[in-house]
Amino acid sequence: MFPVGEFASPGLWNYELYSMTIESEADTTLSLLMYQLVESYVRSERTRGNVFPNNLLSLKSPKTPTTLCKEIYLTELYISSLGVNISQKAQEIHHCQKLLFEHCGWIFPFEKICAVCDRPRHLRFDSQNRLHAEGEPAIEFADGWNFYYYHGVRLPENYGKVHPNQWQSQWILTEDNAELRRVLIQGIGYDRICQELSAKQIDSWQEYELLQIDKADVEPICLLKMTCPSTGFIHALRVPPNLRSAREAIRWVNWDIDAEEFSVQT
């Protein structure tokens, strides 16, 4: 344990440490995955009679890359900005923390044993720093342990290993999990869905069609479909299921402007 008492009161140190905010979705997600792994390990047959599981409650407070980063940063702040001098022992511990942060992942300290997890080989994110990858794992370890995520939502392997461009609209009809259905709909897109699923036509007006797909979501999916007369390109937008005419749907999409009022239809 780092000798905080040499240069700061433990209360002040803990306050500053826990007040520090670091973007750590991957850290939090991986910690939860580690806990799930430990729980399954505790319940497994092979843990019976093993002395190691007796200490598994310690795994609820691991040292993560985020906590190490905070401790290293705060120590450097005390040294560089406040001019604090630390002992040789504290310097050695601080150096060890840097090495752990650089080379290791999650650290589970016990009384006589320390379990150390390797860092992931790959962590992939979207533009909003959510775990995300398309057709490959978002979290991947050297031994093959991996997890698939789509914009922060964990996917089963049968979805995650397939690129969203190749996701099948039929999967939406057989998926029971509402959040996964939402992800499938987002990844496939309404343009493909209205072509690949059996959508019944409710109404039409000029090149517009109001379509409905049942059993694909919590409520029926209603789509306003437009086919470009010159290119044949199909574009679809989701509209509320209570709309019963194509012109009503057009009005809803265009902020209550009636289609007849368009000087140029696009």
Side-chain angles (χ1 to χ4, degrees), residues 173-185:
L173 303 178
T174 57
E175 177 54 59
D176 294 328
N177 185 288
E179 186 174 37
L180 290 178
R181 279 201 308 272
R182 178 187 62 78
V183 168
L184 291 173
I185 291 169

Side-chain angles (χ1 to χ4, degrees), residues 121-135:
R121 289 180 60 189
H122 298 290
L123 284 173
R124 300 179 174 97
F125 303 89
D126 62 12
S127 59
Q128 298 181 38
N129 290 321
R130 297 173 296 189
L131 286 163
H132 174 79
E134 298 183 356

Side-chain angles (χ1 to χ4, degrees), residues 4-250:
V4 176
E6 288 189 4
F7 55 88
S9 70
L12 177 61
W13 173 271
N14 288 330
Y15 173 78
E16 293 178 330
L17 195 65
Y18 293 115
S19 298
M20 201 180 302
T21 302
I22 297 179
E23 185 67 39
S24 58
E25 179 184 340
D27 194 80
T28 303
T29 300
L30 278 165
S31 294
L32 291 173
L33 293 173
M34 294 291 178
Y35 298 153
Q36 292 171 12
L37 179 66
V38 169
E39 293 296 336
S40 64
Y41 179 75
V42 171
R43 296 190 185 98
S44 67
E45 292 279 343
R46 58 186 172 180
T47 64
R48 295 181 181 177
N50 191 328
V51 296
F52 183 70
N54 294 334
N55 298 318
L56 280 177
L57 289 176
S58 301
L59 291 177
K60 296 301 180 184
S61 301
K63 284 284 186 182
T64 71
T66 295
T67 55
L68 279 172
C69 179
K70 287 181 177 181
E71 290 177 2
I72 292 168
Y73 174 82
L74 200 53
T75 305
E76 296 283 357
L77 178 67
Y78 271 85
I79 295 171
S80 62
S81 299
L82 303 180
V84 170
N85 293 317
I86 60 176
S87 67
Q88 182 65 33
K89 179 182 177 181
Q91 291 178 36
E92 292 173 0
I93 294 174
H94 185 54
H95 178 67
C96 288
Q97 283 184 318
K98 290 182 176 180
L99 292 175
L100 288 171
F101 177 74
E102 182 178 354
H103 298 288
C104 301
W106 282 252
I107 302 167
F108 305 98
F110 298 90
E111 185 177 350
K112 298 181 180 180
I113 300 171
C114 184
V116 180
C117 174
D118 195 7
R119 297 176 74 92
R121 289 180 60 189
H122 298 290
L123 284 173
R124 300 179 174 97
F125 303 89
D126 62 12
S127 59
Q128 298 181 38
N129 290 321
R130 297 173 296 189
L131 286 163
H132 174 79
E134 298 183 356
E136 59 184 347
I139 304 172
E140 188 172 11
F141 289 85
D143 63 356
W145 197 44
N146 56 50
F147 298 91
Y148 297 87
Y149 283 81
Y150 187 84
H151 296 300
V153 178
R154 185 175 171 183
L155 300 178
E157 184 179 8
N158 59 317
Y159 295 160
K161 67 182 181 181
V162 180
H163 194 280
N165 289 343
Q166 297 177 308
W167 286 356
Q168 304 299 310
S169 298
Q170 289 293 333
W171 296 353
I172 301 170
L173 303 178
T174 57
E175 177 54 59
D176 294 328
N177 185 288
E179 186 174 37
L180 290 178
R181 279 201 308 272
R182 178 187 62 78
V183 168
L184 291 173
I185 291 169
Q186 180 184 355
I188 296 169
Y190 292 119
D191 298 353
R192 278 181 55 204
I193 290 173
C194 74
Q195 295 181 72
E196 297 175 3
L197 294 184
S198 299
K200 63 181 180 183
Q201 180 176 300
I202 298 175
D203 188 38
S204 64
W205 185 78
Q206 295 189 11
E207 67 267 30
Y208 295 91
E209 295 178 69
L210 181 61
L211 306 175
Q212 180 171 304
I213 303 170
D214 296 319
K215 301 179 180 178
D217 205 353
V218 177
E219 60 183 10
I221 293 178
C222 286
L223 301 171
L224 179 63
K225 172 186 171 184
M226 190 201 84
T227 305
C228 179
S230 57
T231 65
F233 176 77
I234 294 175
H235 183 61
L237 291 172
R238 190 167 184 173
V239 297
N242 61 308
L243 304 181
R244 307 315 297 169
S245 74
R247 287 184 61 174
E248 191 179 8
I250 295 168

